[in-house]
Amino acid sequence: MNESTRNADVLIIGGGLSGTMLAVQLLRLPGTRRILVIEPRAELGRGEAYSAVELGHTLNGNAARMSVDPDNADDLTQWLTDYIAGGGWPESDQQHVPISELFPPRGIFGLYAQQRLAQAKALSTSIVEHIRAEGVDLQVDAASTLLTLDNGEQVRGNFAVLATGMFPAARTPLTESSGLNAAALDPWDVQAMAQLDSQSTVLIIGSGLTMVDAVVSLEQAGHRGPIEIFSRHGLLPHVRRQPPSWDDFLAADHGLRSPRQLLREVRRQCRFAIDQGIDWQAPLDTVRVHIARLWSQASEREKRQFVRHVRPWWESHHHRSPPLSAQLVARLQGEGRLRIRAASFKGLVPSDEGVAIAVRHRGEPGLTRVSGAALINSSGIEYDWRRVARPLPQQLLKRGLIQPGPLALGIAADAAGAVLDAQGQASQRLFAMGPPLRGMWWESTAVTDVALQAKALATKLTQI
Ligand SMILES: Cc1cc2nc3c(=O)[nH]c(=O)nc-3n(C[C@H](O)[C@H](O)[C@H](O)COP(=O)(O)OP(=O)(O)OC[C@H]3O[C@@H](n4cnc5c(N)ncnc54)[C@H](O)[C@@H]3O)c2cc1C
């Protein structure tokens, strides 16, 4: 070991929301420990989602649903109340709803996460240090972990936690690239979109929440031309409303297991709600707390069935659009400017001007060429670490320190987040949280998921 190697009790690799919330929870526990957060971005707490700078790129849930404190559901509402009272986010008063029902811009949410970290630091005897670098390799032995950084430095920790987050398809270099990202505009880059001819046609691949953000970005950039969206099923995210509470029907019936049984019962409950004039989102929202249990007890075959048959429906009904963004999409659709087609992207095709793509419309055998001035890749998140061309995932696979999770979604771990190596052995030193555990829990990415995992993992790390 190099003499200048820094040592810590816990190395947190990735300082987005997950890594930052883990640091907060460690700071809150009794005892004194040194925590190093390795994060190439200038600021902790923001990561991919909360580095957003546009006010229109908002959370997809209202403040009452987005607390980072598992012990206080009103934490964000309380913080936001003070923030707005202090002159922050003056535009919020145009929405005429209580603060708990506001959908904050994600950049402001990042500030909230940072302030919660600052508060926890001020009250703790433990120390959190941000090392601004990317972890590129990791070695693990029985007693410790050794992380190599992209500047050549090495840092050692009793434990290391992979809080490396999401790899959005639009921004992730892949081992086998179709060249799509090189030809496409970043969905969140308003400046680049402002360079387009405002009347030109823009093509978007994918119709989930990244697409919704991309449409907000185009609007902000002054784009007023046609937007053609292609996605396999042609489904748009539903808008998030504030449904009333509903009986937790899954808590009462643990016999419901297979995706088919579950879907049938959820549909029955939704119809029942609609018949009574109640929003179908009410019964659907009760399912959320059971997802991890249902997913982890499902067989491999049932998981595959769910992904093949239920996933598109789940994504569009569960991962809902913030109301203002949904209103924009609906308005553009109504004006005939935005069209959504059920069609699969089949590749880029040569074009003298702008971009051209080949798509296969659902139910049609042949390919269709579509052209436009620009293309945006909104095809979601790359969860398969074998395809992510970043040094750390590749090195961890090469060293046999990790193995792909169920259905190659993220990486495998035990129920406490201890990472499974290539032989299936749970590590005593290496842990993971948040999006890398997608395959273990299905929903492992949202604010509330990572907040809960951070608390449980912090406790675990201080008890080993
Ligand atoms: C655009 C977008 C919008 C979203 N909106 C919502 C929302 O409205 N509501 C909601 O509940 N959830 C939302 N999510 C889900 C979101 O992922 C989680 O809320 C949460 O931000 C996950 O945090 P994270 O820290 O795990 O991941 P990330 O935000 O992806 O952060 C991971 C961090 O790890 C760093 N990192 C990666 N590899 C390394 C390495 N090798 N070394 C050092 N650092 C590394 C990255 O630089 C990054 O900063 C959104 C996600 C995205 C991408």
Side-chain angles (χ1 to χ4, degrees), residues 5-57:
T5 302
R6 284 189 261 186
N7 289 291
D9 295 285
V10 184
L11 295 179
I12 302 179
I13 310 170
L17 186 70
S18 295
T20 302
M21 286 308 121
L22 178 61
V24 166
Q25 293 294 346
L26 286 166
L27 287 167
R28 285 183 182 169
L29 289 171
T32 300
R33 49 192 73 83
R34 185 163 187 232
I35 302 146
L36 296 182
V37 184
I38 323 302
E39 167 59 58
R41 291 173 205 264
E43 297 175 39
L44 296 183
R46 293 194 177 273
E48 191 63 53
Y50 312 110
S51 295
V53 289
E54 295 299 327
L55 287 181
H57 292 154

